[in-house]
Amino acid sequence: MTCAACAARITRHLAKQPGITSASVNFATKTATVQFNDAATDVPAIAAAVNAIGFTATVPEPAPVARAASGASTAPSLEARLDAETRTLRVKLIVAAIFTFPVFIIAMSHGRVSTFNVSWINWLQLVLTLPVVCWAGSQFYISAIKQLRFFSANMDTLVALGTGAAFIYSLVVTIWPEFAAALSATHASHEPAHVYYESAAVIIVLVLLGKYLESRATRRATSAISSLVNLTPKFARVQRGSGDFDVAINDLRVGDIILVRPGEKIAADGRVIAGSSAIDESMLTGESLPVEKSVDSLVFAGTLNTTGSLRILATKVGEHTSLHHIIRLVQEAQGSKAPIARLADRISGVFVPIVLVIALLTFAAWWLLDGSPDKLTHALTTSVAVLIIACPCALGLATPTAIMVATGRAARMGILIRSGEALENAHRVTAVVLDKTGTITAGKPAVVRIVPAPGVSETELLATVASAERPSEHPLAAAIAREAAARSLPLAQPTHFEAVPGKGVRAVLPAGTVLVGTQELLAQHAITVTEELSLAHTIMHVARDRTYLGAIMLADTIKPTSREAIASLHAMGLRVIMLTGDNLAAAQSVAAEVNITDARDIHANVLPADKAAHIAALQREGHRVAMVGDGINDAPALALADVAIAMGTGADIAMETAAITILRGDLRAVSQAINLSRRTMRVIRQNLFWAFLYNSLGIPLAAGVLYPATSWLLSPMIASAAMALSSVSVVTNSLRLARRNP
């Protein structure tokens, strides 16, 4: 594809094919995303439909890992195609520039070579221009002829017509100068007709330069994919039999035991079975601090082992790893379109035919209305300038390049944005609904206060509870165990353990029979609770041999960054609402800590099924709502929200359902994602504005509207330079999104 008109034409053609429900063609990434009924069509038929209208469609490689052992041929990746395209354009540009330079010098020295044989000079220019037109610029003519076969037109049509007209006219002048002089009415002055070899050659050089710069810039915009792909090592050290052997990444199997030494990247998702280390997961989650890993910790492919050696049991390999999953989502997002792109697509689809008509009208107007002897020169110059300056490349690049850069930037920050539509919708958000557990809070309870009865120490109370709860698998028991381990307390082993569902446990320790649980459990054994404690926490009352020992208060702790994150959302003018299934006292306690002060924004005792009702109520008030949850039990609310944001890790199932996934579980990333969306939309609007303005002003100038007042005409060479610069400026403006941390 060479311009947005190509993309629009392929989209229309695919949409008409049987079995295809939707098709979106992205000019910047040169990809088509197609949804189809596989009972009515298949991938080869879809590719054949594209080939039938003069393009070539290939199926991209499904996984960014080495090719399968079978050696099956697959299409090169976008990065490989862009690299090859850039190399080809560079060679053509250099060769074309070498041959064009003397042609340009001769043309500029026309007045000083009058003593030379002009015919000989024209033949020399022809010889020098032929390689430029017939080799370096051949792609434009071949593409234009292909389009003509299907009664269509694109950017190459404009370039081919403009440079072809200049070259053929010059060829006629060179071979048959008398006819050309008579046609241009310059024979009266006995001056030879002018040739335009330099226009044809310089225009091709400048268009190639623009395409080369555009290709380089677009390649930079896809760097996020490359950086993620390069995270996977080529080989892994695997335990096979009695020894360790290096095997290719494609030969890894689920169940392999992988040895990861300090400084090496992890080759597969898995579980640590031996060793401990700190793992740098920054490229996966955006979190800069290494994460401590020990036995039973989960690790992910592509992350970097920094200190100790690990042995890992592989649970996911190849295209099933979290890293590959992330790469696929980023590729889908970069290949998708935002709704704002539809305007540019509609215009680009009819733009080229309109430009052809304008160019013909311009030629006819100058030929019929210009009374000067140079009317052919004026008609040719203006019509060629119109053809060249009107190329809609900038329109086609305005939206997709910004989306490519933004989604790549987000991925490096640990934020996965599934599509251009999600990226666009996020900037419209006016209210953010937060699920409390696992979003604002850490999602697991911790001991926040120990309240011993008179005559009992904190250490004795905690050790008693931890000993009694040792056989329990309840999350509250795990929190007690963590606290006891942190204080290095010696624990006793229960000789009898009984769980009382919904109330607590009963255990027999060497020191006596212990009850741990609710006030109701103790009351059943005629034990009076003497403490009045806050209902904002989970309370475990403790008694031993019918004597009250005190209570331990637990709570789901606030994440360290939650207060800062919610302050950022408020500063952006967003309303922040918290939903939780906890009681009102617990909800108010958490809300107070993170500075959610409006009682209307705190909702307690909310069941998962009822969260969607709160989303709908906000939407009825006129809000665009972003729902932030874990993507599983919040599924109804996430589905209803305008933007669904899931908190989780690279392995979280939420990546399949949410529009945006926060890999590192840091609530600050929500404001970063919304801010990135706002900045992206600002850049897209700037791109579209300048692209529309460029074409709106450029075409009349090229047609010569200023000539009656200023005697000034736009040179086709200047028009081609302006066309190239407009595309490059759009891509460069989009690349700004990658340089600043939102």
Side-chain angles (χ1 to χ4, degrees):
M1 298 188 295
T2 59
C3 69
C6 299
R9 180 168 175 242
I10 298 172
T11 301
R12 290 195 302 270
H13 182 70
L14 285 176
K16 297 175 184 176
Q17 302 307 306
I20 292 181
T21 55
S22 70
S24 173
V25 180
N26 190 315
F27 168 55
T29 60
K30 307 294 190 289
T31 57
T33 303
V34 184
Q35 293 184 355
F36 61 94
N37 180 353
D38 56 9
T41 187
D42 55 20
V43 172
I46 295 170
V50 177
N51 297 341
I53 56 172
F55 298 91
T56 302
T58 53
V59 181
E61 187 173 354
V65 294
R67 297 177 194 274
S70 64
S73 176
T74 51
S77 65
L78 171 62
E79 294 79 13
R81 286 185 283 122
L82 285 173
D83 286 339
E85 176 184 309
T86 303
R87 287 193 298 270
T88 301
L89 287 171
R90 182 170 60 242
V91 172
K92 287 189 172 186
L93 175 62
I94 292 172
V95 172
I98 291 172
F99 281 94
T100 298
F101 183 71
V103 177
F104 180 76
I105 295 299
I106 292 171
M108 295 301 102
S109 307
H110 180 70
R112 293 189 291 275
V113 296
S114 56
T115 56
F116 297 139
N117 186 323
V118 172
S119 176
W120 179 82
I121 291 292
N122 287 350
W123 280 102
L124 176 61
Q125 292 183 81
L126 171 60
V127 171
L128 293 170
T129 305
L130 275 173
V132 180
V133 172
C134 297
W135 180 72
S138 60
Q139 64 195 64
F140 305 123
Y141 304 104
I142 293 171
S143 174
I145 291 170
K146 281 185 178 180
Q147 297 304 307
L148 183 61
R149 286 171 49 206
F150 300 101
F151 303 100
S152 184
N154 61 5
M155 169 196 158
D156 289 340
T157 307
L158 304 182
V159 175
L161 282 175
T163 58
F167 179 78
I168 292 172
Y169 173 77
S170 302
L171 183 64
V172 171
V173 168
T174 302
I175 297 175
W176 196 358
E178 296 82 6
F179 173 78
L183 186 64
S184 62
T186 59
H187 63 288
S189 59
H190 305 289
E191 292 182 5
H194 186 66
V195 292
Y196 294 95
Y197 289 119
E198 83 285 353
S199 290
V202 171
I203 287 170
I204 288 174
V205 168
L206 290 173
V207 173
L208 287 173
L209 174 62
K211 281 186 164 291
Y212 172 67
L213 295 175
E214 176 187 308
S215 180
R216 283 188 58 188
T218 305
R219 180 63 182 85
R220 284 179 59 196
T222 65
S223 61
I225 296 291
S226 298
S227 62
L228 289 172
V229 170
N230 292 335
L231 289 176
T232 307
K234 301 292 188 296
F235 296 92
R237 189 79 171 169
V238 176
Q239 179 180 318
R240 296 276 170 89
S242 59
D244 295 333
F245 302 92
D246 288 330
V247 301
I249 194 75
N250 274 336
D251 293 331
L252 283 179
R253 300 188 295 267
V254 172
D256 276 341
I257 296 175
I258 305 170
L259 170 63
V260 186
R261 291 163 290 201
E264 292 182 339
K265 291 178 179 176
I266 297 172
D269 289 2
R271 178 173 56 83
V272 177
I273 59 174
S276 62
S277 182
I279 304 296
D280 181 356
E281 297 182 342
S282 59
M283 284 301 292
L284 192 65
T285 66
E287 183 60 56
S288 58
L289 294 177
V291 181
E292 295 294 331
K293 303 287 184 177
S294 57
V295 174
D296 287 336
S297 296
L298 298 179
V299 293
F300 303 100
T303 55
L304 178 67
N305 182 28
T306 61
T307 53
S309 293
L310 298 172
R311 285 194 181 268
I312 296 167
L313 178 68
T315 56
K316 294 180 181 179
V317 299
E319 64 180 32
H320 302 292
T321 64
S322 299
L323 176 63
H324 178 268
H325 197 166
I326 292 167
I327 292 170
R328 179 171 61 81
L329 291 176
V330 175
Q331 286 174 327
E332 289 175 0
Q334 292 192 339
S336 68
K337 283 186 176 180
I340 196 172
R342 294 170 188 156
L343 174 62
D345 284 351
R346 287 196 296 269
I347 293 175
S348 298
V350 298
F351 196 73
V352 173
I354 291 173
V355 169
L356 292 174
V357 172
I358 293 174
L360 287 173
L361 292 175
T362 299
F363 186 93
W366 279 97
W367 179 258
L368 296 175
L369 302 178
D370 187 4
S372 70
D374 295 324
K375 65 179 183 178
L376 179 59
T377 298
H378 292 163
L380 188 64
T381 299
T382 53
S383 57
V384 169
V386 167
L387 290 171
I388 298 301
I389 204 168
C391 291
C393 291
L395 279 176
L397 292 168
T399 301
T401 51
I403 290 174
M404 289 168 65
V405 176
T407 51
R409 174 64 179 147
R412 288 193 292 271
M413 296 164 59
I415 303 170
L416 284 185
I417 300 175
R418 289 187 63 90
S419 65
E421 183 173 5
L423 185 63
E424 178 174 342
N425 287 341
H427 92 283
R428 298 192 180 97
V429 166
T430 58
V432 179
V433 176
L434 305 175
D435 175 53
K436 178 182 75 70
T437 305
T439 302
I440 298 176
T441 65
K444 58 183 180 181
V447 175
V448 294
R449 187 182 172 194
I450 300 174
V451 187
V456 180
S457 68
E458 282 193 10
T459 300
E460 180 187 359
L461 177 60
L462 181 60
T464 300
V465 176
S467 298
E469 293 275 12
R470 286 185 77 174
S472 175
E473 296 180 354
H474 195 279
L476 296 179
I480 295 291
R482 286 194 297 271
E483 184 67 20
R487 302 189 184 200
S488 302
L489 300 182
L491 303 182
Q493 183 66 42
T495 57
H496 175 78
F497 176 84
E498 177 188 355
V500 183
K503 295 180 181 179
V505 302
R506 177 179 176 273
V508 177
L509 298 175
T513 301
V514 177
L515 293 173
V516 180
T518 63
Q519 186 172 343
E520 181 184 359
L521 175 65
L522 270 65
Q524 289 176 355
H525 292 79
I527 301 170
T528 303
V529 172
T530 58
E531 297 287 346
E532 291 291 334
L533 301 173
S534 169
L535 295 177
H537 301 93
T538 299
I539 303 169
M540 298 173 67
H541 294 283
V542 187
R544 183 175 60 209
D545 292 339
R546 298 183 179 276
T547 301
Y548 184 68
L549 299 183
I552 294 181
M553 301 170 65
L554 300 97
D556 189 1
T557 55
I558 306 294
K559 291 180 181 179
T561 58
S562 291
R563 185 180 177 90
E564 177 189 344
I566 291 172
S568 297
L569 293 171
H570 282 143
M572 295 169 68
L574 301 172
R575 181 178 173 185
V576 181
I577 298 98
M578 184 183 76
L579 302 181
T580 179
D582 278 353
N583 60 65
L584 182 59
Q588 290 174 334
S589 174
V590 171
E593 281 198 62
V594 296
N595 202 29
I596 299 177
T597 57
D598 193 328
R600 297 174 302 167
D601 297 335
I602 305 168
H603 300 275
N605 300 306
V606 179
L607 297 175
D610 298 329
K611 291 180 181 179
H614 288 277
I615 301 292
L618 286 167
Q619 291 170 332
R620 286 194 297 272
E621 293 176 17
H623 284 290
R624 295 291 185 95
V625 182
M627 172 65 194
V628 187
D630 64 13
I632 302 171
N633 59 5
D634 296 317
L638 287 167
L640 187 60
D642 298 287
V643 178
I645 303 176
M647 308 290 286
T649 66
D652 200 320
I653 194 173
M655 285 194 295
E656 288 292 351
T657 58
I660 299 173
T661 300
I662 309 301
L663 293 181
R664 64 184 188 270
D666 186 341
L667 192 57
R668 291 178 298 182
V670 175
S671 60
Q672 291 172 349
I674 296 172
N675 192 27
L676 180 62
S677 170
R678 291 179 176 182
R679 291 176 54 223
T680 303
M681 294 309 300
R682 187 160 58 245
V683 166
I684 289 174
R685 291 190 185 101
Q686 291 168 354
N687 288 346
L688 290 173
F689 171 78
W690 288 112
F692 282 126
L693 183 66
Y694 162 80
N695 285 120
S696 300
L697 296 180
I699 292 176
L701 289 177
V705 294
L706 297 181
Y707 185 80
T710 64
S711 300
W712 180 78
L713 290 176
L714 183 65
S715 164
M717 290 182 287
I718 296 176
S720 59
M723 183 271 292
L725 289 174
S726 69
S727 298
V728 174
S729 66
V730 162
V731 178
T732 303
N733 189 43
S734 298
L735 287 170
R736 291 190 303 116
L737 290 167
R739 290 198 297 265
R740 219 177 87 203
N741 192 359

